Structures are given as C-alpha cells and as structure tokens.
Amino acid sequence: MPDALIVLLTAMTPIGELRASIPLAITSMDMPWPQAFGLSIVGNVVPVPFILFALRTAGARVEAQQNIVGRLLRWRTARIQQSWGPRVQRYGFFGIVLAVAIPLPLTGAWTGTLIVWTLNEPVRRGLPAIAAGVVIAGAIVTGLTLAGVEIIRLT
C-alpha cells in the first residue's frame, strides 16, 4: 500500500486522527512535513461530513439501542454536553474550533462532529469550525513532531 494512502487512512481513524498520521509519516516514512501535513489534514477532514450525515440520519436510533454501541454513544454525548456544551454556547464557532484544535485524546474532528450533532449546531457553522480546528491541530502536531525529531538528532 502506498505511504500516502496509509497516511490518509490513519488520519481518518477516530482515535489516531492526525495525532498519529503526522508522526507516522514524518518519522517512519521519511515523508516531507508539508506532504505529511497536507495528507493528514485531508484525511482527517474527509470523513466529517459523512459522519455528521450518518449521525443526523441514525444517531438518535443508535443512541436508543440497549447494546454496547448505544451505551457508548450515550456516554460520549453526555460527556460532550457536560464538558463542551457550556464552552460552545459561550464561544460558538470558536468553542468548536478549540475542541478540535487541542491535540489530546478525545478531542479532534470526530469529537468535533459529535459536538456539532449533540448540541444541534448548524452544519454551516460546524464544518468550517472543525476544518479550522484540524488545521490548527495539524500545525501543532507537525511542530511538535519536527521538534522531537530535531532533539533526537542532536542527542
């Protein structure tokens, strides 16, 4: 499988996202950072409209299920309402950007999509906010990866 495709697919995953794809591309594949950054941004943003459409279409039905998937979605949406709800209500667009831009576990494009769905935010506000957050997170992860590579080279 070509390296570019691996980077794209890694960036699409719900847990790794670009926090995994950028370091993978730069350190393991010796990919130039602009290419790693670009592929990771595209890979991370591409699934967002599809996930949002799926949630808008079937999210409530999935949440109502009494299986592991329904329980997991209910748990995650309750956590989002509790933790991100007040921030998004207060800061709107920038609250969503912040939720996506911080490159930590349980943040990112997938969480941003859940925030937009859970809080019934308009798609016309949510999609650009998620994309902006992904670019910011990508810049942070790229910078940290390059700094780490440079530190390792110096030692």
Side-chain angles (χ1 to χ4, degrees):
M1 187 179 304
D3 288 350
L5 183 58
I6 293 170
V7 172
L8 279 168
L9 293 174
T10 303
M12 289 181 185
T13 61
I15 298 196
E17 299 190 41
L18 51 70
R19 294 180 300 270
S21 65
I22 291 172
L24 173 73
I26 292 172
T27 62
S28 297
M29 299 175 178
D30 287 327
M31 189 177 285
W33 74 263
Q35 182 181 6
F37 178 80
L39 288 170
S40 295
I41 297 298
V42 169
N44 204 190
V45 172
V46 162
V48 169
F50 299 104
I51 299 164
L52 193 53
F53 175 76
L55 285 171
R56 300 254 171 166
T57 304
R61 283 180 283 192
V62 172
E63 224 176 10
Q65 297 295 315
Q66 295 305 316
N67 58 24
I68 187 84
V69 176
R71 285 192 297 270
L72 180 64
L73 189 56
R74 283 192 302 278
W75 171 80
R76 191 67 186 122
T77 56
R79 298 275 303 168
I80 284 171
Q81 288 172 343
Q82 181 183 36
S83 61
W84 290 106
R87 290 180 183 110
V88 171
Q89 286 176 343
R90 184 171 181 183
Y91 300 112
F93 176 89
F94 294 106
I96 299 168
V97 171
L98 180 65
V100 177
I102 302 168
L104 294 172
L106 300 179
T107 65
W110 285 70
T111 297
T113 305
L114 278 172
I115 290 169
V116 170
W117 174 68
T118 301
L119 302 177
N120 292 316
E121 290 294 317
V123 174
R124 69 182 179 280
R125 178 191 310 177
L127 289 178
I130 292 168
V134 166
V135 171
I136 294 167
I140 293 168
V141 171
T142 301
L144 290 173
T145 302
L146 293 172
V149 167
E150 193 60 33
I151 289 170
I152 290 170
R153 285 185 189 158
L154 292 174
T155 57

